[in-house]
């Protein structure tokens, strides 16, 4: 029976599953013309977003623009979207670490681009583009961690909220500086911050633009842990993440999918989604091996 159910669910087309991680929030109906927006963003060059994979199924995404504190240029925004699309199709992936080059995380948008994209429509276009990308990042079937070294400011702070977990090094800070710039978050950071902390704590951080240092971040639940002083914080983060990525990739991905469904969907839809995802692993190789080894009782 388990094998029959497993095969039956694997015959279901992917479109029947409620897991729709690649669906964009915005399209032409909302005035979002992706090709035109990319053409505009491509004018603002510099930096890169680099991605590497390890044999243990953990990917490393590096924001690399250290002369501007790893601020996002237009081409970096496009590269981030491309890397997220690659990650959506990483069959053997289990986890992802996002960090910045040269001991700082990210200072948000490159101000050179911001000055030249100052019209309300330009701002809305960039907002929709980055919300689409970071929502897809949040929905990845991978367990994601932001490693915050140095400063995570503005859009950089928003990026951390698109990850499942956040870790900080002792001398780092997270700061939602938007109010100081006469703005509010535009990359989805406010909505995600409310989900993480609740409305009152989120309002305090956004309205005060306070520097959130590691002890404060840990106390309010913004981060999971403060890493010990180390010359290898990336390796420390990999060690921390591995406790959540032990096991077959298909099981880890299924775990992430049911959590996203539970967070984003109404109860009945979330339950149906959980049932269908459950069907993709019930009677599967990992399940059958665990039954043979009586793993439950060990």
């Amino acid at each position: 029976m388990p094998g029959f159910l497993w095969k039956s669910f694997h015959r279901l087309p992917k479109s029947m599953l409620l897991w729709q991680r690649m669906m964009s929030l915005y399209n032409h109906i909302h005035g979002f013309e992706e090709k035109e927006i990319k053409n505009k963003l491509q004018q603002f060059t510099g930096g890169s977003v680099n991605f590497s994979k390890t044999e243990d199924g953990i990917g490393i995404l590096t924001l690399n623009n250290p002369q501007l504190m790893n601020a996002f240029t237009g081409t970096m925004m496009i590269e981030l979207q491309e890397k997220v699309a690659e990650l959506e199709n990483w069959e053997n992936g289990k986890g992802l670490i996002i960090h910045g080059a040269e001991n700082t995380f990210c200072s948000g948008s490159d101000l050179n681009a911001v000055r030249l994209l100052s019209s309300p429509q330009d701002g809305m276009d960039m907002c929709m583009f980055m919300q689409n990308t970071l929502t897809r990042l949040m929905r990845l079937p991978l367990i994601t961690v932001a490693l915050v070294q140095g400063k995570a400011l503005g859009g950089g702070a928003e990026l951390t909220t698109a990850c499942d977990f956040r870790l900080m090094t002792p001398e780092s800070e997270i700061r939602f500086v938007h109010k100081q710039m006469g703005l509010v978050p535009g990359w989805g950071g406010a909505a995600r911050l409310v989900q993480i902390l609740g409305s009152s704590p989120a309002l305090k951080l956004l309205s005060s633009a306070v520097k959130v240092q590691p002890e404060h971040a840990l106390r309010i639940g913004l981060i999971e842990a403060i890493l010990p002083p180390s010359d290898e914080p990336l390796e420390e983060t990999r060690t921390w993440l591995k406790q959540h990525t032990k096991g077959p990739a298909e099981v880890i991905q299924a775990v992430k999918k049911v959590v996203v469904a539970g967070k984003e969907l109404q109860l009945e839809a979330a339950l149906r989604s959980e049932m269908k995802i459950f069907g993709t692993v019930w009677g599967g190789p990992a399940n059958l091996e665990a039954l043979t080894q009586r793993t439950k009782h060990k």
Side-chain angles (χ1 to χ4, degrees):
M1 177 64 76
F4 170 75
L5 285 173
W6 181 63
K7 291 175 184 176
S8 297
F9 275 105
H10 272 276
R11 294 192 192 104
L12 288 172
K14 290 183 179 179
S15 61
M16 290 186 66
L17 298 177
L18 291 174
W19 177 252
Q20 298 179 1
R21 60 182 181 273
M22 290 179 279
M23 181 178 289
S24 294
L25 294 171
Y26 304 106
N27 54 40
H28 67 278
I29 295 174
H30 307 97
F32 178 70
E33 302 297 339
E34 184 172 291
K35 185 176 179 179
E36 293 179 12
I37 294 170
K38 282 187 173 181
N39 287 338
K40 191 175 293 184
L41 291 174
Q42 284 173 345
Q43 302 173 50
F44 306 102
T45 60
S48 61
V49 178
N50 308 121
F51 176 56
S52 61
K53 299 176 182 178
T54 62
E55 293 181 358
D56 55 7
I58 293 177
I60 310 294
L61 196 70
T62 305
L63 309 178
N64 187 13
N65 192 14
Q67 65 270 26
L68 294 177
M69 293 176 58
N70 299 322
F72 273 96
T73 62
T75 53
M76 286 175 67
M77 292 180 186
I78 294 170
E79 286 183 22
L80 179 64
Q81 184 199 58
E82 293 169 348
K83 297 302 186 293
V84 169
E86 182 180 349
L87 286 161
E88 286 170 338
N89 296 292
W90 186 17
E91 291 184 0
N92 298 320
K94 297 191 284 185
L96 177 69
I97 299 170
I98 301 178
H99 76 126
E102 297 189 16
N103 301 316
T104 195
F105 187 73
C106 175
S107 59
S109 303
D110 176 8
L111 293 181
N112 295 318
V114 170
R115 291 188 187 97
L116 295 173
L117 295 172
S118 57
S119 75
Q121 187 59 54
D122 286 338
M124 292 283 284
D125 288 343
M126 184 177 67
C127 170
M128 288 188 285
F129 185 87
M130 289 300 288
Q131 281 193 14
N132 274 350
T133 299
L134 294 187
T135 300
R136 288 170 65 179
L137 171 65
M138 183 179 67
R139 290 172 175 170
L140 283 174
L142 308 169
I143 298 177
T144 58
V145 179
L147 164 57
V148 181
Q149 298 170 266
K151 298 178 186 295
L153 307 177
E158 292 191 66
L159 174 58
T160 71
T161 65
C163 295
D164 300 314
F165 302 114
R166 287 150 295 281
L167 305 179
M168 295 178 75
T169 57
E171 303 303 321
S172 60
E173 68 177 64
I174 298 173
R175 189 180 185 192
F176 295 86
V177 297
H178 305 78
K179 189 188 79 167
Q180 307 289 67
M181 302 294 295
L183 297 170
V184 296
W187 296 358
R192 292 188 299 268
L193 190 64
V194 170
Q195 288 185 332
I196 294 166
L197 299 181
S199 58
S200 292
L203 182 59
K204 288 178 182 177
L205 295 192
L206 295 177
S207 63
S208 65
V210 66
K211 296 179 182 179
V212 184
Q213 296 176 325
E215 294 78 8
H216 182 194
L218 185 63
R219 186 168 62 252
I220 64 176
L222 182 58
I223 66 172
E224 298 300 313
I226 303 169
L227 295 174
S230 170
D231 294 330
E232 298 291 340
L234 187 57
E235 192 58 37
E236 293 279 351
T237 303
R238 281 186 61 190
T239 299
W240 186 92
L241 180 55
K242 283 181 181 178
Q243 66 183 314
H244 300 288
T245 57
K246 292 178 181 177
E250 65 269 19
V251 176
I252 303 303
Q253 292 191 16
V255 168
K256 174 64 182 288
K257 291 174 185 179
V258 295
V259 170
V260 171
K263 181 172 69 173
E264 294 195 0
L265 302 177
Q266 292 185 343
L267 179 59
E268 289 186 6
L271 292 173
R272 288 192 292 269
S273 180
E274 184 173 318
M275 177 268 294
K276 291 172 181 175
I277 295 165
F278 174 82
T280 68
V281 291
W282 175 268
N287 178 225
L288 294 177
E289 182 180 352
L291 292 173
T292 300
Q293 297 181 356
R294 300 178 64 83
T295 301
K296 179 179 179 180
H297 300 292
K298 292 183 178 179

